[in-house]
Amino acid sequence: MRKRDRTPACPTPEGAIDRADPHRMTVMTRAPILAAALLALTACSGQSSGSGEAATVQVAGAICRPTPVGRQTTGCYLTLTAASDDRLASVASPDANIVQIHESRIESNMMMMRELREGLALPAGQAVALEPGGNHLMLLGVKEPLVAGDAVALTLTFASSPPLEVTATVGQPAAAEYDHATAPAAH
């Protein structure tokens, strides 16, 4: 148990302690006042921290394909625009066991997909489209079948920007010139 400080805070002219002095402030009365002042200054500072940080990456058009009957894998697409150079480092979803960032490309007339283990570069001010036939998100181990009209929660984690919570609708994305959903695929 800590001993109380017996040092007088406001001695009287005669050197005696006047504990009844209403102007005397103890640590117990100063701490809440200081905390309230700091909170007010933080709220007025214009800078935010923690989960209230302003997003420096904008997300548009988030959509995931319905899962084919008997499959637990599907693709999701969206467009990311970063205010400064950044990198989409990882993605998570409570609706799937694993979410990977993939790239697709045609090799020997076959659509080839591979995970981008280092993430996806987001050059400052440039819209980076994750779309059918190109870069996309791959949901693996989808926990419940996804049907048109459902919603999929995605948490996007970046190298520099704060994480973003995104809700993608389930539906068919706009048709691409070469769509990997209908093309032969190899991993």
Side-chain angles (χ1 to χ4, degrees), residues 25-40:
M25 294 186 78
T26 65
V27 173
M28 294 303 287
T29 56
R30 280 187 235 157
I33 293 169
L34 181 60
L38 288 173
L39 184 60

Side-chain angles (χ1 to χ4, degrees), residues 59-66 74-79 130-132 135-139 146-152 154 166-175:
V59 179
I63 190 167
C64 295
R65 288 185 187 277
T74 194
C76 296
Y77 314 98
L78 46 83
T79 300
L130 283 76
E131 57 192 1
N135 295 329
H136 59 280
L137 303 177
M138 202 73 188
L139 275 64
L146 299 177
V147 297
D150 284 351
V152 175
L154 300 169
V166 176
T167 301
T169 57
V170 176
Q172 291 298 330

Side-chain angles (χ1 to χ4, degrees), residues 2 6 41 76 99 101 107 158 166 177 182:
R2 188 169 183 227
R6 301 273 185 209
L41 287 173
C76 296
V99 181
I101 305 164
E107 290 181 10
F158 302 94
V166 176
E177 200 171 301
T182 57

Side-chain angles (χ1 to χ4, degrees), residues 100-182:
Q100 295 178 342
I101 305 164
H102 276 200
E103 79 169 340
S104 297
R105 63 178 184 271
I106 299 175
E107 290 181 10
S108 303
N109 275 343
M110 292 285 291
M111 179 63 76
M112 304 295 283
M113 288 187 283
R114 72 175 179 94
E115 180 181 6
L116 296 173
R117 293 183 192 274
E118 301 299 316
L120 179 66
L122 302 174
Q126 294 182 23
V128 176
L130 283 76
E131 57 192 1
N135 295 329
H136 59 280
L137 303 177
M138 202 73 188
L139 275 64
L140 306 169
V142 175
K143 296 175 181 177
E144 297 289 328
L146 299 177
V147 297
D150 284 351
V152 175
L154 300 169
T155 302
L156 310 178
T157 303
F158 302 94
S160 302
S161 298
L164 287 177
E165 300 289 329
V166 176
T167 301
T169 57
V170 176
Q172 291 298 330
E177 200 171 301
Y178 189 80
D179 192 335
H180 83 279
T182 57

